[in-house]
Amino acid sequence: MNKITATELSPQLFWDIDKSQYDVDKYPEWTVQRILERGRLSDWQLILNYFGLDRIVAICKTLRTLPPEALSYICLISNTNKEDYRCYHTAQSNPTLWNS
């Protein structure tokens, strides 16, 4: 597939950077995380076609933070366990005040 650019993705994903200078291949972790957190279905389909599910899952397994909904979604579509993801263990070791 052809290289994707940040300008092809939803504007709310990269509001804080110069999209014309952003390289999706140089920062795949940041790209995947932003799309899972704030992206649209069209953004998801674009990176899924570009990176492939296996690479996205590998990236997600290394992320320090990921919303519970995003983690559940990745686990569901990839048939993996949430315990395999770094963000799951990080969240477990840092309980919020209202969960104490």
Side-chain angles (χ1 to χ4, degrees), residues 55-70:
R55 183 162 181 215
I56 291 173
V57 169
I59 289 169
C60 288
K61 285 183 177 184
T62 65
L63 296 177
R64 193 176 287 265
T65 60
L66 202 57
E69 300 85 5

Side-chain angles (χ1 to χ4, degrees), residues 8 13-14 26 28 30 32 38 41 43-44 49-50 57 59-60 62 66 70 73 81-83 88-90 99-100:
E8 295 175 65
L13 295 175
F14 300 104
K26 189 172 181 183
W30 202 40
V32 169
R38 302 180 188 100
L41 183 58
D43 301 320
W44 169 252
N49 290 333
Y50 186 68
V57 169
I59 289 169
C60 288
T62 65
L66 202 57
Y73 178 71
N81 296 320
K82 60 185 174 185
E83 292 83 10
Y88 176 77
H89 296 287
T90 304
N99 287 337
S100 299

Side-chain angles (χ1 to χ4, degrees), residues 29-45:
E29 296 86 3
W30 202 40
T31 304
V32 169
Q33 185 167 9
R34 287 244 175 150
I35 288 173
L36 285 171
E37 289 174 350
R38 302 180 188 100
R40 297 180 179 153
L41 183 58
S42 59
D43 301 320
W44 169 252
Q45 290 170 340

Side-chain angles (χ1 to χ4, degrees), residues 5 10 21 71 80 98-99:
T5 62
S10 298
Q21 300 296 318
L71 178 59
T80 56
W98 52 87
N99 287 337

